[in-house]
Structure formats: structure tokens, C-alpha cells
Amino acid sequence: MTFEAATRASPPAPAPALPRQPRVGATLRSLRAAVAVLLLALVALGLAWELALAPIGRGTLAIKVLPLVLALPGVLRHRLYTYRWLALLVWLYVLEGLVRAASERASAAALAAGEVVLALALFATVVLYIRRRLRGGVGTRAP
């Protein structure tokens, strides 16, 4: 049998099908969007609270949202490091909201309760994002 006859005789066997990987991309995209929306909502609430709705003094407490604003570029660029420190930072806003909900009057207490709810939702979403991203084998790079 010649080389030409051997190569024309039978096509190569198809490669075995690999098991399908779960679609992590859609879940991660929705979690990223949720983190960005919650982060922006927490920034907006903090600014509105301290500058217009129930200001204390001259509105200097509005600077409290600066760390959240600094986290926004890293969140939009999908930096895992930013998500990790944001998960720790958000607890300061939970604590502030709890203290002010217990010590402020009606409207400010409602704003403080809203801050607690937003901060806890942000924490839960950030933790889910980190877990899904690391479980998906993505490591430190976004898919």
C-alpha cells in the first residue's frame, strides 16, 4: 500500500466531544451590572442625603462617598482586586447606616435604613461576583 492510498483510505476519527462548560459569562455580566448599579445608588444616596435631603452642617459629610467613587473605575474595568477591597469597605457604610438609623430622627433614619439595605445588597452581590469569577476558573482576568 502506498502513502497516497493510506491517506485516502479513511478519514481521521473525530475528536471526542468535550463536556460543555457552564455559561459563566452571562451570570458574571449580570453581577457586574448589579454591582455597578448598587455602587452608583449608594453614591447617589450618600450625596443626596448629605447635600440636600438631611444635611448636617455644611455638607462636609458628603466626602464619605469618595472611597466609593474611587472604587468605580476598578469595578467598571472588572478588576478583581477592587471587588475584594470593596467587599471590606462596604461594611463601614453598613455601620454608619446602623448608627445613624438609631440616632437620627424620622427622615434621616429612613435614609440611614436605605443606606444599610443598599450596602448589604452591594456586599452580597460583590461576594457572589467574586465567588462566581473564581469558581469559573477565570482567575484575575475578566472573561
Side-chain angles (χ1 to χ4, degrees):
M1 182 183 255
T2 66
F3 177 73
E4 291 174 18
T7 56
R8 280 187 277 163
S10 63
L18 296 173
R20 292 187 63 127
Q21 296 293 326
R23 269 192 64 185
V24 186
T27 304
L28 279 178
R29 277 192 295 277
S30 62
L31 286 172
R32 285 178 196 153
V35 167
V37 166
L38 288 168
L39 185 59
L40 287 172
L42 197 53
V43 168
L45 175 67
L47 288 175
W49 182 1
E50 299 301 341
L51 296 177
L53 299 175
I56 295 177
R58 297 182 181 164
T60 54
L61 283 179
I63 200 157
K64 73 181 182 184
V65 300
L66 185 59
L68 296 174
V69 172
L70 294 175
L72 196 55
V75 166
L76 295 177
R77 289 186 185 123
H78 317 299
R79 303 267 166 92
L80 189 59
Y81 180 78
T82 303
Y83 283 87
R84 286 177 172 169
W85 67 258
L86 182 59
L88 299 174
L89 175 72
V90 75
W91 286 106
L92 294 175
Y93 296 90
V94 171
L95 290 175
E96 187 226 1
L98 290 172
V99 167
R100 290 184 75 176
S103 63
E104 302 269 336
R105 295 214 166 111
S107 65
L111 292 170
E115 181 181 42
V116 170
V117 169
L118 280 175
L120 288 174
L122 179 60
F123 174 76
T125 309
V126 166
V127 168
L128 280 174
Y129 174 82
I130 292 170
R131 289 183 59 151
R132 290 286 172 113
R133 187 158 157 193
L134 292 178
R135 187 181 325 145
V138 178
T140 57
R141 288 186 36 134

